[in-house]
Amino acid sequence: ALAGRFGRTWAHAAAPLWHARIRATLHLGAASVALGLLAYVFARALPNEFSVGWESQLIKTPEGAHQLLGLLFLPVSSLPGLPGVAPFTLEEITRMHHWAGSNAAMADRWLLMLSALLVLGVALPRLLLWGWQSHRARRLARRFPLDLADPYFARLVADGSGQRWRLVVWPYALALDAARTAALAGQATEVLGGGETALTVQPGLAYGDAPQAAARRPAATEGELMACAALLSLSATPEAETHGAFLQRLAQSLGPQLLVLLDAGAFTARLGRGERLREREALWREFLRPLGLQRVHVVDLGA
């Protein structure tokens, strides 16, 4: 479980760097294909003399071939000041039908236009993109993208600076009496990974209440690091229109670092611990994944 969690966390943190490296490799590969094709054409041109013409089963008239070639070479023929890349005229296309009017000058012009198309339309843009993505990958490698707002790093800061945690909890469809509040306060330190922890319980919502009524993040006091959590009952079956709406509202207000606490007290009191508990926990985690909520903790606040 620890190795799996580390792998997921590392993959999430390293994803921007991996994406930059993969994009750089793909751009360089595309440029290499274009330049390799161009090198092959010129290598074949050394011992051979090219002729140029056209035949087609689908394009029956020179007008059709003229329109197709005009569209194909438009990126280079429209560039100002580039000699030798003027588009073929309809008369030239007509003469080249069935290779009847081919000559060395037309072949040279075709080779120049093809070279310009590969270099300006493929190789040069891809090399520029490769340079940008390579620069981005080197920058990300030097400054690895870590979310320093994550509670792990915040906990390191708290341990070294003497600050303490405050866990702010929004219950949903769950009544917190004095005993359950005390149990949650006792487990808050474990949820946040250690350090002195205070607990603040916000007014909860009853089942089916409008999620717009959820409170916003309170202001943090000096010397405190704040973590926000939604508290729900593990015994409830997750529903998109109720639990999902509540969690989405909180996540929009409080950010993606929202904790989700699942109280297993009532569930274990009725069904005990075992396979049923693991199945219900897996059901909730699967429900929370599309919402982007991955920080899930199961707590036991008693029956």
Side-chain angles (χ1 to χ4, degrees):
L2 181 60
R5 181 181 177 186
F6 172 80
R8 291 189 298 270
T9 305
W10 173 258
H12 177 74
L17 176 58
W18 290 351
H19 290 167
R21 287 174 172 170
I22 291 172
R23 290 190 181 104
T25 302
L26 292 176
H27 288 312
L28 182 60
S32 300
V33 169
L35 294 176
L37 178 61
L38 195 58
Y40 170 78
V41 170
F42 277 96
R44 292 285 295 169
L46 284 175
N48 298 281
E49 183 180 41
F50 288 169
S51 60
V52 60
W54 67 277
E55 294 175 338
S56 175
Q57 183 66 32
L58 299 178
I59 301 176
K60 305 297 185 181
T61 63
E63 289 79 7
H66 180 255
Q67 291 178 358
L68 179 61
L69 291 179
L71 185 62
L72 175 64
F73 289 112
L74 182 62
V76 295
S77 62
S78 59
L79 291 176
L82 193 62
V85 294
F88 289 104
T89 65
L90 179 58
E91 181 183 355
E92 291 171 331
I93 296 296
T94 303
R95 290 206 314 266
M96 287 190 291
H97 197 194
H98 298 299
W99 307 81
S102 176
N103 56 57
M106 283 190 177
D108 290 342
R109 187 168 155 201
W110 178 276
L111 185 58
L112 180 61
M113 294 178 69
L114 180 63
S115 302
L117 182 64
L118 287 174
V119 171
L120 299 178
V122 181
L124 185 59
R126 291 288 188 167
L127 287 174
L128 291 174
L129 290 171
W130 165 73
W132 162 247
Q133 292 296 339
S134 298
H135 169 73
R136 182 167 175 262
R138 289 192 297 269
R139 185 182 61 194
L140 289 172
R142 289 194 304 267
R143 300 179 179 178
F144 194 79
L146 292 175
D147 183 8
L148 298 181
D150 186 270
Y152 171 78
F153 298 105
R155 185 166 61 250
L156 294 180
V157 174
D159 292 342
S161 63
Q163 292 178 308
R164 68 171 185 169
W165 278 101
R166 176 167 296 278
L167 179 62
V168 184
V169 176
W170 281 264
Y172 182 79
L174 185 65
L176 283 181
D177 54 17
R180 285 187 171 184
T181 302
L184 180 57
Q187 297 180 46
T189 299
E190 181 180 350
V191 168
L192 296 178
E196 183 182 357
T197 304
L199 176 67
T200 298
V201 179
Q202 297 290 338
L205 291 179
Y207 177 82
D209 280 358
Q212 287 76 11
R216 293 186 175 274
R217 178 196 294 267
T221 60
E222 185 177 356
E224 284 188 339
L225 296 171
M226 184 176 297
C228 299
L231 177 62
L232 305 100
S233 176
L234 187 73
S235 60
T237 302
E239 300 173 352
E241 61 274 13
T242 53
H243 305 95
F246 168 73
L247 291 169
Q248 284 181 328
R249 174 69 175 87
L250 276 187
Q252 290 171 358
S253 300
L254 307 176
Q257 293 298 325
L258 177 71
L259 287 164
V260 178
L261 305 181
L262 300 174
D263 175 26
F267 188 90
T268 55
R270 187 174 70 253
L271 299 174
R273 298 182 178 273
E275 187 64 26
R276 295 286 296 275
L277 178 61
R278 288 190 290 272
E279 290 177 355
R280 181 54 63 90
E281 182 180 350
L283 176 65
W284 268 97
R285 290 184 182 275
E286 188 66 25
F287 172 76
L288 295 170
R289 187 173 294 111
L291 301 177
L293 301 173
Q294 300 181 356
R295 302 178 59 211
V296 184
H297 296 270
V298 177
V299 295
D300 191 339
L301 306 183

